Amino acid sequence: MLEFAILGLLQEAPMHGYELRKELTAKLGAIRAAISYGSLYPTLRRLQAAGWIAEAAETPATAEEVPALTSRRGRVVYTITAEGKERFAQLIAQAGPETYDDTGFGVHFAFFARTDQATRLRILEGRRRKIEERREGLRDVLGRAAERLDAYTLELQRHGLDACEREVRWLEELIANERSGRAPAAPHPGTATGRGDNDSPPTPGTSRTERP
């Protein structure tokens, strides 16, 4: 998933490692993109060895852009190659079970604007099935074992069930939009999602409990 995200970002513009890390966080969210330099740079080296990206230039690094406890060095700028674009096209067309998992779905969803409608629908429908299965599992636990759970464990299970129900509703709305050819609604000015605070959809792969 990290390779897929890097190739997708380099499709937009050449970037150095620090910029890539910032863009990954901005595009995927701070929790999912808690990427250390220790995982980012080995991935960049693997992509370079595969011929999917190449070094374009080196510019002086600022103090802010130098990881702690490392030496000050130039910034290597990476660009995607023609082979890398082909690889990204292969990855973005995938719609198998790996795209329904929390991380896989989140990364693919971040690049939905460049994904064809049929693939988007397959991923959304697969994700909905997965979350419905998770929801039914939680309902089963609450139905069979609620009286044996302590108050905090019970609250955690309810929190998970609530998050699943919210995500299923959100996915059903997205699927309906895709089938009708509509894009997701744009947010209203001054809001992050265009919805009320208690009706905002969950970030893919995360949970949030509704409160009054």
Side-chain angles (χ1 to χ4, degrees), residues 193-207:
T193 64
R195 303 162 184 260
D197 289 342
N198 291 333
D199 195 35
S200 58
T203 301
T206 64
S207 61

Side-chain angles (χ1 to χ4, degrees), residues 107-128:
V107 174
H108 275 267
F109 192 85
F111 293 99
F112 258 22
R114 283 185 264 165
T115 306
D116 66 83
Q117 183 188 36
T119 301
R120 289 197 301 263
L121 265 174
R122 287 198 297 273
I123 293 174
L124 290 170
E125 290 169 347
R127 175 67 177 181
R128 180 179 62 181

Side-chain angles (χ1 to χ4, degrees), residues 80 96 112 174 177 195:
I80 191 168
F112 258 22
L174 289 170
N177 285 340
R195 303 162 184 260

Side-chain angles (χ1 to χ4, degrees), residues 158-199:
R158 288 173 174 164
H159 172 79
L161 178 59
D162 176 74
C164 287
E165 290 174 341
R166 287 164 54 80
E167 185 166 354
V168 168
R169 292 196 300 270
W170 176 64
L171 288 165
E172 287 176 343
E173 180 181 336
L174 289 170
I175 289 168
N177 285 340
E178 287 293 337
R179 288 175 175 164
S180 64
R182 297 193 305 270
H188 297 304
T191 67
T193 64
R195 303 162 184 260
D197 289 342
N198 291 333
D199 195 35

Side-chain angles (χ1 to χ4, degrees):
M1 290 299 105
L2 180 55
E3 293 178 356
F4 173 49
I6 290 171
L7 291 174
L9 289 174
L10 291 180
Q11 288 260 54
E12 300 172 359
M15 298 182 195
H16 56 75
Y18 181 78
E19 289 174 323
L20 279 167
R21 191 162 181 254
K22 286 203 304 183
E23 289 299 317
L24 285 166
T25 300
K27 200 168 187 72
L28 306 180
I31 296 175
R32 188 174 295 109
I35 297 164
S36 68
Y37 287 99
S39 62
L40 177 61
Y41 285 105
T43 304
L44 289 170
R45 287 195 292 271
R46 286 196 300 272
L47 293 174
Q48 193 171 1
W52 296 333
I53 65 173
E55 294 182 9
E58 187 168 303
T59 59
T62 66
E64 179 190 15
E65 295 166 342
V66 178
L69 304 179
T70 62
S71 60
R72 189 179 181 87
R73 63 176 183 173
R75 300 175 302 176
V76 176
V77 177
Y78 298 94
T79 61
I80 191 168
T81 64
E83 292 81 4
K85 291 178 180 179
E86 291 178 4
R87 176 61 176 165
F88 179 73
Q90 293 171 355
L91 293 172
I92 204 170
Q94 291 180 354
E98 71 279 1
T99 66
Y100 313 153
D101 292 333
D102 293 347
T103 300
F105 177 72
V107 174
H108 275 267
F109 192 85
F111 293 99
F112 258 22
R114 283 185 264 165
T115 306
D116 66 83
Q117 183 188 36
T119 301
R120 289 197 301 263
L121 265 174
R122 287 198 297 273
I123 293 174
L124 290 170
E125 290 169 347
R127 175 67 177 181
R128 180 179 62 181
R129 288 193 300 272
K130 186 173 187 66
I131 299 303
E132 285 174 339
E133 291 171 1
R134 187 181 297 174
R135 179 187 64 185
E136 294 312 307
L138 287 168
R139 283 177 175 172
D140 186 55
V141 169
L142 287 170
R144 290 186 298 104
E147 68 281 359
R148 299 197 301 271
L149 301 176
D150 64 74
Y152 293 101
T153 302
L154 184 60
E155 182 64 17
L156 182 63
Q157 297 298 317
R158 288 173 174 164
H159 172 79
L161 178 59
D162 176 74
C164 287
E165 290 174 341
R166 287 164 54 80
E167 185 166 354
V168 168
R169 292 196 300 270
W170 176 64
L171 288 165
E172 287 176 343
E173 180 181 336
L174 289 170
I175 289 168
N177 285 340
E178 287 293 337
R179 288 175 175 164
S180 64
R182 297 193 305 270
H188 297 304
T191 67
T193 64
R195 303 162 184 260
D197 289 342
N198 291 333
D199 195 35
S200 58
T203 301
T206 64
S207 61
R208 177 180 169 185
T209 304
E210 287 179 306
R211 297 296 185 193

